Amino acid sequence: MRSTETGMTLVELSVGVTLMVVILALAYPGFNAASGTISVCAQKARLSDAGDKVSKRLIDLIRLGRLAEIGDTGNPPHAIVHPPRTGIALDEMTTAGVVPWKTDSVRIQYRQSGSVSEAEARVDLNGDGDRSDFFALGMVDVITADGARPITNRGRVLLGLPSFEGDVDGDGLADPLFKLTGRRLDLKMVMVFREESGQFRKSVSTRTIYLRNRQD
């Protein structure tokens, strides 16, 4: 008995390979765009997470201590905090409620590491509809008796120049790093990251606390 074998001819195989190449070529732009979208979302998520971590660290430092000073407008912003001593005995707390603060203070300091002009970068960083603004790029250091330690690991903190309190979110209002109103403290952390392509990613983190400890 003669067996019959079926299969693809060389012509059919060539046609199949050609069709596969055409399909992949047509699909590649879509795959590439999807990959780019995922990459952008991942970059934004990492930058937002970095800003939230820095904001939380600063709020924790200020909430537990006595806020002694907030820097003046026109200079790189800073805050001086006196933390409470550890191992405080109850008999050290007076009837007036005075807390035995540490003698050594903690200084939270903005350190400018660069600047960016919207006109030169050809980008509207604060989204106010123009490219005429100028910004400082920097990091936040926590300075103790043991020295200075940066707590900004990814991206840079954006502040409007020349006052360090310019509009960074496009609403036309000043955006200082620290804003103290009575016992209310507002913290606005605008983080930017510049990719190798020159494109900027931005994330905004805002927090508000009411100072629990006596500040006098």
Side-chain angles (χ1 to χ4, degrees), residues 35-160:
S35 176
T37 300
I38 293 172
S39 177
V40 169
C41 291
Q43 290 281 8
K44 289 183 177 180
R46 285 195 289 265
L47 188 61
S48 178
D49 183 62
D52 287 341
K53 286 181 179 178
V54 175
S55 298
K56 183 178 184 303
R57 175 69 190 281
L58 297 184
I59 289 297
D60 287 345
L61 282 172
I62 295 171
R63 178 184 284 120
L64 295 176
R66 180 176 71 88
L67 184 60
E69 180 179 311
I70 291 288
D72 296 327
T73 302
N75 297 307
H78 75 270
I80 296 178
V81 180
H82 292 286
R85 295 203 330 255
T86 57
I88 302 173
L90 290 178
D91 57 6
E92 292 186 71
M93 305 293 291
T94 67
T95 55
V98 177
V99 178
W101 305 107
K102 282 186 178 179
T103 304
D104 296 332
S105 62
V106 174
R107 184 183 180 94
I108 302 168
Q109 179 70 57
Y110 178 80
R111 172 166 51 92
Q112 184 178 352
S113 60
S115 60
V116 57
S117 164
E118 288 186 331
E120 293 178 2
R122 298 181 180 180
V123 62
D124 181 9
L125 275 175
N126 61 352
D128 65 351
D130 62 50
R131 295 181 177 179
S132 60
D133 300 296
F134 192 52
F135 298 97
L137 299 172
M139 296 168 282
V140 177
D141 295 333
V142 173
I143 305 172
T144 66
D146 298 325
R149 184 161 56 90
I151 60 172
T152 312
N153 299 316
R154 181 176 183 80
R156 291 292 181 266
V157 180
L158 189 75
L159 291 177

